Amino acid sequence: MRSIWVTFQKEGIHKYPGADTDPRYATGDWDDVSFLGFPHRHTFYFKIWIEVFHNDRDIEFIQFQRWLERRYTSVEKGLDGDALQLDYKSCEMIADDLATVIQKKYPSRWLKISVAEDDENGCEIEYPRHIPRG
C-alpha cells in the first residue's frame, strides 16, 4: 500500500472531567493528575497518513495539509480567538472526529491519524477503508 502523510499543529484547551475528584487520578501522591480536571492548554500535534492509488499526486499533500488545517480555523469553526476549545475531548476522540471528516471527502481509503499533546504523549489510530453506504 502507498500513502502520503502531512503534519500540522494547533493550540487547544481541554479538560478531563472528574480527574480532579476521581481517586484514580486525584491521588494526592506522585502520580496525582487532578489538574487535568480543569481547562488546560496544549499544543496538539497532528500527523495524518492517507492511502493514495498512484505516484503522481493522487492527493496533493500541501493541499491536503491546508484543507486539514482549515478544519481547525476560526473561520471554519466559528471560534473566538486562536485556541481550539476541545472541552472534554481526548486525543483519541479528536482523531475519531477528524477521521469522520476525512472519510467523507476521501472515501474508500485507508487512514491513520496521530494526535499528540505537546509532542510528548498521544494516540495513533488506524482506520480501515471506509465504504460509504447509500
Side-chain angles (χ1 to χ4, degrees), residues 47-50 110-114 124-127:
K47 186 169 186 177
I48 295 93
W49 294 257
I50 189 168
W110 169 90
L111 180 64
K112 181 167 72 169
I113 299 176
S114 168
E124 188 172 285
I125 303 174
E126 283 193 49
Y127 301 88

Side-chain angles (χ1 to χ4, degrees), residues 99-115:
T100 299
V101 171
I102 295 169
Q103 288 171 329
K104 283 181 185 173
K105 183 171 175 77
Y106 298 99
S108 305
R109 294 176 190 255
W110 169 90
L111 180 64
K112 181 167 72 169
I113 299 176
S114 168
V115 180

Side-chain angles (χ1 to χ4, degrees), residues 59-107:
I59 298 174
E60 203 296 313
F61 49 70
I62 296 171
Q63 288 178 328
F64 184 54
Q65 178 191 42
R66 289 176 180 170
W67 177 78
L68 289 166
E69 287 176 322
R70 285 184 60 88
R71 305 306 94 206
Y72 297 106
T73 64
S74 297
V75 172
E76 291 288 322
K77 301 292 276 186
L79 301 173
D80 292 327
D82 290 327
L84 297 174
Q85 300 300 316
L86 298 165
D87 195 22
Y88 62 88
K89 301 271 177 140
S90 66
C91 290
E92 296 92 318
M93 293 172 186
I94 295 165
D96 284 349
D97 289 349
L98 186 55
T100 299
V101 171
I102 295 169
Q103 288 171 329
K104 283 181 185 173
K105 183 171 175 77
Y106 298 99

Side-chain angles (χ1 to χ4, degrees), residues 23-64:
R24 294 177 296 168
Y25 308 109
T27 66
D29 207 348
W30 62 269
D31 59 348
D32 186 290
V33 289
S34 58
F35 62 89
L36 297 175
F38 301 93
H40 55 279
R41 176 208 175 274
H42 293 287
T43 299
F44 288 90
Y45 289 78
F46 295 82
K47 186 169 186 177
I48 295 93
W49 294 257
I50 189 168
E51 180 178 17
V52 293
F53 301 122
H54 58 76
N55 291 341
D56 193 14
R57 297 164 185 88
D58 180 22
I59 298 174
E60 203 296 313
F61 49 70
I62 296 171
Q63 288 178 328
F64 184 54

Side-chain angles (χ1 to χ4, degrees), residues 107 130-134:
H130 174 73
I131 310 297
R133 297 178 187 205

